[in-house]
Amino acid sequence: MEATAEQAIAAVNAAETSEADVKAKKPNAKNGKRRSRISNRRLKEIIFAYGMLLLPLIQFAIFYIWINANSIMMAFQSFFGYADDGGELFIWSMDNFTRLFKELGNSDAVVHIALINTMKYFAAGLCMIPVSFLVAYFLYKKVWGFKFFRVMFFLPAIISAVLFVATYKQIISYGGPLDKLLTVFGLRMPNLLGEESRVTGTIIAYTVWTGLGVNMLLYQSAMSRIPQEVIEAGMLDGVPWWRELFQIIIPMVWPTISTTLILVITSMFNSTGPILLFFGAGDSVDNAAHMTISFWIYNQTSKANLNYPATVGVFFTLVSVPIVFLVRWALNKVDPQVTY
């Protein structure tokens, strides 16, 4: 009897367990509909997101990938002649690179002069980094009139470049404010934009005048994030301003400095000024004394032969890429790991 009762109890427990398992495994129609509804909503979100990304992806494929790929192929092609239907024929060749190397070694060639002018603009941009940093530091220290100077230095970044170029040309022109000031001392303003030896330097001076704003704002924003307790501790220890600048401020904002340095290096062969705004369209922009590499390539787009400009662009891109990676590696080596 006892064995029979135990068997009956075990059979009941087994039946209850199997029934619970069946219920657990049985799909709930309401939960299934909810999961289906969530899946449909998720599917619509995915379709919407990729639909919004489709247009920029197409633009990127056409205006970046295809354009650059076509430019690379054009660099290795030379004009061969005309087909029977009037179309142009090209052959694969290294003639464009041979021409480029010859012109780089010729001091009278436009590409050679453009490269020298480009390096001048690049050097000016590189020198503007410490200048912008010092200006940002003194504004951060709230020197007298810092709000006024902050607005004045940043104005060129928000006002049309056309207006600033016109103003600058009036200031340095014959009979302008500077000329009238020099007449007091018996001097007159030279024709800065009319003499080939002074054109590039005059435009570089303009870029320096208007180039403080963006980097100054970046540096000042980075400095404002430094904990005030660190600055106050230095003041209590009697740290002079130059030690505060070089031993506290610069190490703590170095990531921002290294980023701006890398950006300047990436634009090494693209460095240029507002040449077109200074001279407008016409024969004056074809003057070799005005040229930089990027402006020369832009100016050549209106010409018939685009293969040689494509070669120049490809060559200087190949030269700049390893330089950028080398500078980035070097800056990462000296970059202090500061978090605050």
Side-chain angles (χ1 to χ4, degrees):
M1 291 294 292
E2 293 179 358
T4 305
E6 290 177 356
Q7 292 175 356
I9 293 171
V12 171
N13 291 336
E16 291 177 352
T17 303
S18 61
E19 185 178 356
D21 292 339
V22 170
K23 289 182 178 180
K25 295 179 181 179
K26 186 178 180 181
N28 191 324
K30 187 179 294 186
N31 292 336
K33 290 180 179 178
R34 185 179 302 165
R35 279 194 293 269
S36 176
R37 187 163 57 248
I38 293 173
S39 299
N40 290 336
R41 184 167 65 245
R42 179 60 178 167
L43 180 62
K44 291 178 180 178
E45 291 175 354
I46 294 174
I47 293 174
F48 175 78
Y50 281 98
M52 294 296 293
L53 291 173
L54 183 61
L55 180 60
L57 286 175
I58 293 175
Q59 291 179 332
F60 177 76
I62 295 175
F63 297 105
Y64 187 84
I65 296 178
W66 183 81
I67 292 293
N68 284 283
N70 188 52
S71 298
I72 294 172
M73 290 188 293
M74 289 175 62
F76 295 92
Q77 294 176 347
S78 298
F79 178 73
F80 182 70
Y82 293 95
D84 296 337
D85 58 357
E88 295 180 339
L89 296 176
F90 294 90
I91 58 173
W92 296 100
S93 162
M94 296 293 291
D95 292 344
N96 292 321
F97 287 93
T98 303
R99 175 186 171 185
L100 174 60
F101 295 143
K102 289 181 179 179
E103 292 192 1
L104 286 176
N106 182 5
S107 59
D108 295 327
V110 177
V111 174
H112 179 91
I113 298 172
L115 178 60
I116 293 176
N117 290 339
T118 301
M119 291 297 100
K120 292 178 180 178
Y121 282 101
F122 169 70
L126 205 59
C127 293
M128 284 302 296
I129 290 182
V131 174
S132 300
F133 190 84
L134 285 174
V135 171
Y137 172 72
F138 288 114
L139 293 180
Y140 164 73
K141 298 301 290 184
K142 298 182 179 179
V143 297
W144 182 86
F146 74 97
K147 292 183 179 179
F148 169 78
F149 289 115
R150 184 192 305 170
V151 173
M152 290 301 297
F153 287 140
F154 195 68
L155 273 179
I158 58 178
I159 295 180
S160 172
V162 177
L163 177 61
F164 263 95
V165 168
T167 304
Y168 181 74
K169 290 172 71 174
Q170 287 296 322
I171 292 174
I172 66 174
S173 65
Y174 186 84
L178 282 180
D179 184 59
K180 292 180 179 179
L181 181 62
L182 289 175
T183 54
V184 177
F185 304 97
L187 303 173
R188 301 305 300 266
M189 279 293 293
N191 188 5
L192 296 177
L193 294 176
E195 299 180 13
E196 293 185 354
S197 60
R198 295 175 174 175
V199 169
T200 300
T202 302
I203 301 178
I204 288 176
Y206 168 83
T207 60
V208 170
W209 176 45
T210 59
L212 285 173
V214 176
N215 283 344
M216 180 199 69
L217 188 65
L218 290 174
Y219 295 144
Q220 196 171 356
S221 299
M223 293 175 191
S224 65
R225 293 179 54 246
I226 298 176
Q228 194 60 32
E229 294 81 2
V230 176
I231 305 299
E232 291 175 354
M235 294 173 61
L236 291 175
D237 292 337
V239 175
W241 71 268
W242 57 270
R243 286 192 62 190
E244 178 186 84
L245 175 62
F246 288 100
Q247 296 182 355
I248 298 177
I249 300 293
I250 290 180
M252 297 194 74
V253 300
W254 181 256
T256 304
I257 298 174
S258 62
T259 300
T260 54
L261 279 171
I262 291 173
L263 290 176
V264 171
I265 297 298
T266 56
S267 62
M268 176 185 298
F269 298 110
N270 294 327
S271 301
T272 188
I275 301 172
L276 194 61
L277 292 179
F278 271 89
F279 298 102
D283 296 335
S284 60
V285 296
D286 290 326
N287 194 327
H290 309 164
M291 288 296 173
T292 60
I293 293 297
S294 59
F295 184 74
W296 179 82
I297 293 175
Y298 158 77
N299 202 35
Q300 291 297 307
T301 56
S302 60
K303 307 296 191 298
N305 182 17
L306 299 179
N307 297 81
Y308 184 56
T311 304
V312 175
V314 169
F315 173 76
F316 285 109
T317 299
L318 293 175
V319 172
S320 63
V321 167
I323 295 175
V324 171
F325 279 101
L326 180 62
V327 171
R328 183 175 178 272
W329 173 82
L331 290 176
N332 288 337
K333 285 292 184 180
V334 301
D335 189 357
Q337 300 298 322
V338 179
T339 57
Y340 54 92

